[in-house]
Amino acid sequence: MKSARGFTLLEIIVVIAIFGVMAVMAYGGLASVLHSRQRVAAALDRTAELQRAYMRLREDFQQVSNRPVRDNYGDAKPAFYGNRDNQLLFTHGGWRNPLLLPRASLERVIYRLDEKTGTLIRGSYRVLDLAQDSKPVEVPLLSEVDDLHWRYLDPATQEWRTTWPPDTLSDDPATLAAIAPPLAVELTLETKDLGELKFLFKLGLDPLPNGFVRGEIPS
């Protein structure tokens, strides 16, 4: 009768070593797949955030309204106002009112950069002519923004301006309040992950001057 023969200690060690190597290789492959999946998901989320911000900006600029307002101190302000602090305020129409609230269909909007959080903020006022305690309802639009710059295309001269109304115009508030919005707006964003991004928006008012070719926007 033959005696039963088991594995030797050396054979068991070799088998355990092989299984260990295979386990390490499998874990490395799984970890690589999981990391790639996380990077792809983060890139998709970032792209979706950027698309939402672009769509929100485009919708606002397409419905710009030439309706001047009064600020918190009762001073007249133009319908479209961009200052050197890179804040942009303007009036636009088409403000939906599904609850039939007693308010206008026009909305006063402000875009600004929150430097502490690096976020592009969109704010909206519930009234056009502001009271001293009027504050905007703010919504974060785009994160990881280091800096931003606005430029405005003058419909009269077809030149880009860094402020609107242009600094070359009168300082009289009533005169400035009567200045119409620009022809187009250029937004330059400096982002942490995507570098420099530029967006060009043509305003829905379409204030074309004489001799200006429709659809042509100077660079």
Side-chain angles (χ1 to χ4, degrees):
M1 183 175 180
K2 295 182 179 181
S3 59
R5 182 177 180 275
F7 293 104
T8 66
L9 178 60
L10 180 59
E11 291 173 333
I12 294 176
I13 292 175
V14 171
V15 171
I16 292 175
I18 293 174
F19 274 110
V21 172
M22 293 178 63
V24 171
M25 293 176 62
Y27 176 79
L30 179 60
S32 177
V33 171
L34 292 176
H35 289 321
S36 297
R37 182 179 179 182
Q38 290 177 351
R39 289 195 297 269
V40 170
L44 290 175
D45 290 342
R46 180 61 168 168
T47 301
E49 181 188 27
L50 188 61
Q51 289 177 335
R52 288 193 298 269
Y54 170 80
M55 293 298 293
R56 178 73 272 183
L57 285 159
R58 189 183 71 172
E59 290 175 3
D60 281 344
F61 288 127
Q62 284 181 339
Q63 301 188 68
V64 167
S65 175
N66 189 10
R67 198 283 197 182
V69 299
R70 293 191 177 276
D71 63 12
N72 306 71
Y73 303 100
D75 297 327
K77 292 294 182 182
F80 198 99
Y81 177 73
N83 59 28
R84 293 192 177 278
D85 294 330
N86 287 325
Q87 289 189 358
L88 176 59
L89 297 94
F90 58 90
T91 306
H92 81 78
W95 189 15
R96 296 179 181 177
N97 189 8
L99 299 179
L100 302 178
L101 299 176
R103 62 168 174 79
S105 61
L106 298 175
E107 182 181 19
R108 190 67 174 173
V109 173
I110 176 173
Y111 280 100
R112 68 177 185 86
L113 175 64
D114 187 335
E115 296 181 352
K116 293 183 179 179
T117 61
T119 304
L120 175 63
I121 300 293
R122 179 190 187 272
S124 62
Y125 292 92
R126 293 295 179 246
V127 294
L128 294 175
D129 298 315
L130 307 182
Q132 291 189 358
D133 57 348
S134 295
K135 295 185 181 299
V137 177
E138 295 187 329
V139 176
L141 205 62
L142 186 65
S143 59
E144 299 187 46
V145 178
D146 290 329
D147 200 4
L148 66 81
H149 301 282
W150 300 95
R151 290 203 308 170
Y152 315 99
L153 184 58
D154 193 330
T157 64
Q158 301 182 28
E159 295 179 350
W160 288 103
R161 309 288 187 180
T162 57
T163 61
W164 196 265
D167 291 336
T168 56
L169 299 181
S170 170
D171 293 334
D172 178 52
T175 302
L176 293 178
I179 300 299
L183 176 64
V185 176
E186 181 189 78
L187 170 61
T188 301
L189 296 172
E190 296 289 344
T191 63
K192 298 181 183 296
D193 53 345
L194 301 175
E196 182 181 277
L197 301 174
K198 282 193 175 184
F199 301 104
L200 185 61
F201 303 96
K202 187 171 181 295
L203 270 60
L205 280 178
D206 201 19
L208 295 174
N210 294 331
F212 194 87
V213 178
R214 182 178 296 274
E216 177 184 347
I217 296 180
S219 59

